[in-house]
Amino acid sequence: MQRRGGFGGIVTLCCLVLFQCSMVSTAVPVPQHKVDLHWYPATATWYGSPDGDGSDGGACGYGSLVDVKPLRARVGAVSPVLFKNGEGCGACFKVKCLDKSICSRRAVTIIVTDECPGGYCANGRTHFDLSGAAFGRMAITGESSQLRNRGELPVLYRRTPCKYPGKNIAFHLNEGSTDYWLSLLVEFEDGDGDVGSMHIREANSDEWLEMNHVWGANWCIIRGPLKGPFSVKLTTLSAGRTLSARDVIPRNWSPKATYTSRLNFKL
């Protein structure tokens, strides 16, 4: 499957970062509603090596995080209707195939880490491009190879709460961040998994500063000089749940560092 990536794509995204992050954004209240857990029809394919994890970074920007547990072998690329211009990054889905002659009853759980913008994923289709390992796990015992040989499969999918046992929400400071341009990426978010809005609060301030969604799972703010420690408030896209991590990013923060909070959403 065709997925976003490569040096050219990275250059293009980097050029867009400063432009999009500098745009004035109007805060829009996120409605509170429950995540839809009904099953819906879709199609699925697989990529990479037959038993591989399918990990190659991806259009969400999680980088090497997709190569290690708990994301490893659970990552997936989705079509634009589920990717939602990157705001669908981090969402978790259960996917199961339908042919009882070769498909098991169990569903595989995948985490959105990438986008498949063309091919089977184009024209408004709902499609999952899974790792070879995840695709094969939908088969009955001993039939993984035969299932992969089928190519495109009709499947059912539904949202499912993300679960990262023993982990709290973490905030990764993206490379290039400064006191005047700060970019964050959220990791290990239980529950909805996605992000609908992000705010930060400087030291000795009561004002929450709105961040802008740039690309994938990356958010940023241009303002300064920004003074830490920073508190971070995130609101999920799917259900409008909000969590605030006080002073989670220290005064002496560093680009490319990850800072773990003491919080996560309750399941």
Side-chain angles (χ1 to χ4, degrees):
M1 290 297 301
Q2 178 188 6
R3 298 183 313 286
R4 291 186 176 176
F7 179 76
I10 292 173
V11 171
T12 301
L13 289 170
C14 289
C15 291
L16 289 172
V17 165
L18 286 176
F19 170 74
Q20 292 181 325
C21 197
S22 63
M23 294 176 63
V24 176
S25 177
T26 302
V28 178
V30 180
Q32 297 279 340
H33 60 276
K34 294 182 179 180
V35 176
D36 185 1
L37 299 180
H38 291 90
W39 291 96
Y40 293 99
T43 52
T45 49
W46 62 279
Y47 68 97
S49 60
D51 297 308
D53 299 332
S55 305
D56 61 353
C60 288
Y62 293 121
S64 60
L65 191 67
V66 302
D67 297 318
V68 296
K69 292 182 178 180
L71 273 72
R72 185 178 181 181
R74 300 173 65 198
V75 302
V78 293
S79 56
V81 294
L82 296 177
F83 190 71
K84 300 175 183 176
N85 293 318
E87 290 190 339
C89 289
C92 296
F93 291 89
K94 286 190 177 294
V95 182
K96 61 182 180 181
C97 57
L98 303 174
D99 187 344
K100 295 181 180 178
S101 68
I102 196 170
C103 298
S104 70
R105 294 183 178 181
R106 67 177 178 272
V108 295
T109 300
I110 67 105
I111 304 162
V112 176
T113 62
D114 203 355
E115 181 182 28
C116 54
Y120 292 116
C121 298
N123 302 317
R125 297 183 63 183
T126 303
H127 187 84
F128 293 84
D129 199 18
L130 308 179
S131 68
F135 195 90
R137 281 201 296 271
M138 292 190 294
I140 59 178
T141 303
E143 296 295 333
S144 296
S145 296
Q146 292 300 317
L147 187 66
R148 284 190 289 266
N149 288 340
R150 296 279 184 96
E152 183 189 18
L153 285 178
V155 296
L156 293 176
Y157 78 97
R158 69 170 175 84
R159 285 293 296 273
T160 189
C162 297
K163 299 177 182 179
Y164 299 103
K167 291 188 175 294
N168 288 327
I169 288 179
F171 300 94
H172 178 76
L173 270 293
N174 287 319
E175 184 176 4
S177 290
T178 70
D179 293 337
Y180 294 85
W181 182 86
L182 193 69
S183 179
L184 297 178
L185 180 144
V186 179
E187 300 175 356
F188 306 125
E189 178 194 328
D190 279 344
D192 295 345
D194 52 23
V195 178
S197 69
M198 291 266 290
H199 295 75
I200 64 168
R201 187 175 64 194
E202 296 179 87
N204 304 316
S205 174
D206 295 325
E207 182 184 5
W208 285 104
L209 306 175
E210 185 178 9
M211 304 187 77
N212 292 310
H213 178 234
V214 188
W215 64 275
N218 297 279
W219 296 73
C220 75
I221 185 171
I222 293 179
R223 186 174 174 137
L226 295 164
K227 297 180 180 180
F230 300 110
S231 300
V232 181
K233 179 171 67 175
L234 69 87
T235 301
T236 67
L237 177 69
S238 300
R241 302 177 69 193
T242 297
L243 178 148
S244 300
R246 183 177 179 180
D247 295 341
V248 64
I249 300 173
R251 184 183 304 274
N252 59 340
W253 60 269
S254 299
K256 300 195 290 184
T258 300
Y259 300 99
T260 302
S261 73
R262 298 179 180 180
L263 307 169
N264 215 325
F265 288 106
K266 294 182 179 180
L267 298 174

